[in-house]
Amino acid sequence: METSDKNIDGRKLRSIATRQKLLDAAYEIFYERGFEKTTISQIIKKAKTGYGTAYVHFKSKDDILIMLMENVMQEFLELAKTPFKPTSKKEAKELVLAQVTSFLKLAESNREMFKVFLEANGHSSSVNAKWNEIRHAFIHYITKDITYVQNEGLARTDVKAALVARSWFFANENYQWEIVRNENIAPLEEIAETITTMYIDGLYLGSTTKS
């Protein structure tokens, strides 16, 4: 039994290593060629794996890109999941500004892969579906944060949290793509400060100067 377990563990480790080789190869080729010009054959060849072995893990280049997207976006989702329990409008603005700045900086630092995601969104229904799934996850966490501050009496309750969350996410997403395409019309920090101020002043009660 022990020998059998070792064989299973060995196969599992080899499978994990093969999967990672395919992801690493795909990252490089997508980075160099973009989504449309990349083929799964190129990825398999660069990863130096057999076709049969590769197809056990991924059925298409779309599947591989979706996994890369999940890996990259995990850091973004960790930001969105950060506990958000401000006790004042001022504190809320500080927390939101830090989060928005980090979000936009992550997009900037991952610019080349985000260009691939943007291209793929327009050509692959499965990649587009994954992006929408990630988008909904962000909106869920934002809605949760807005509901919290509404319940705490810090924010307006005459607006629906889910709708405000969607508007806020899409504002951030729009600037994210502008940064990725190098179309940003102002420094990243200025963009973050401006949209955060508009969001906080539109949703929260009172003044940011009060503690």
Side-chain angles (χ1 to χ4, degrees):
M1 178 65 71
E2 185 178 346
T3 301
S4 177
D5 289 344
K6 286 182 179 178
N7 288 338
I8 292 172
D9 288 344
R11 287 197 296 271
K12 186 176 181 180
L13 288 172
R14 287 194 295 274
S15 177
I16 292 171
T18 298
R19 186 180 181 85
Q20 191 58 51
K21 284 201 304 183
L22 288 164
L23 289 171
D24 290 343
Y27 186 97
E28 290 185 33
I29 296 177
F30 280 132
Y31 187 95
E32 293 169 1
R33 305 187 182 195
F35 180 75
E36 278 200 280
K37 292 182 180 179
T38 294
T39 67
I40 191 167
S41 296
Q42 293 166 350
I43 294 169
I44 293 170
K45 183 177 180 181
K46 188 171 186 65
K48 298 179 180 178
T49 64
Y51 278 78
T53 302
Y55 281 109
V56 167
H57 297 280
F58 302 105
K59 302 304 180 187
S60 66
K61 69 176 183 180
D62 304 56
D63 288 346
I64 299 176
L65 186 64
I66 285 170
M67 180 56 64
L68 289 172
M69 182 183 287
E70 288 181 346
N71 292 343
V72 170
M73 294 308 296
Q74 187 57 43
E75 191 171 359
F76 286 73
L77 287 169
E78 289 302 319
L79 273 176
K81 291 191 287 186
T82 302
F84 183 76
K85 295 186 177 180
T87 58
S88 67
K89 181 178 179 180
K90 181 175 183 284
E91 184 183 359
K93 182 175 181 179
E94 291 170 353
L95 292 171
V96 171
L97 179 58
Q99 192 176 58
V100 172
T101 302
S102 296
F103 180 86
L104 295 180
K105 283 183 176 179
L106 279 171
E108 185 177 54
S109 64
N110 289 280
R111 177 179 280 127
E112 295 306 317
M113 277 309 294
F114 266 76
K115 286 180 181 178
V116 178
F117 298 159
L118 185 60
E119 179 189 1
N121 271 332
H123 294 91
S124 168
S125 59
S126 57
V127 172
N128 186 257
K130 172 53 67 173
W131 183 258
N132 280 329
E133 181 183 315
I134 292 169
R135 177 184 281 151
H136 291 318
F138 273 108
I139 292 171
H140 166 76
Y141 291 119
I142 298 169
T143 302
K144 184 178 177 182
D145 290 344
I146 294 172
T147 301
Y148 174 83
V149 293
Q150 285 178 326
N151 290 337
E152 291 296 306
L154 295 174
R156 294 169 52 176
T157 56
D158 62 331
V159 291
K160 191 172 181 179
L163 293 178
V164 177
R166 286 178 64 83
S167 297
W168 178 232
F169 173 80
F170 287 123
N172 281 269
E173 184 185 42
N174 181 62
Y175 282 107
Q176 165 201 287
W177 293 130
E178 285 196 357
I179 287 170
V180 168
R181 293 189 296 252
N182 284 314
E183 295 174 352
N184 41 310
I185 58 175
L188 184 151
E189 290 77 11
E190 186 177 338
I191 293 171
E193 174 69 34
T194 300
I195 64 175
T196 298
T197 297
M198 293 176 66
Y199 169 67
I200 294 294
D201 285 348
L203 177 63
Y204 284 75
L205 303 171
S207 169
T208 53
T209 60
K210 294 180 181 179
S211 59

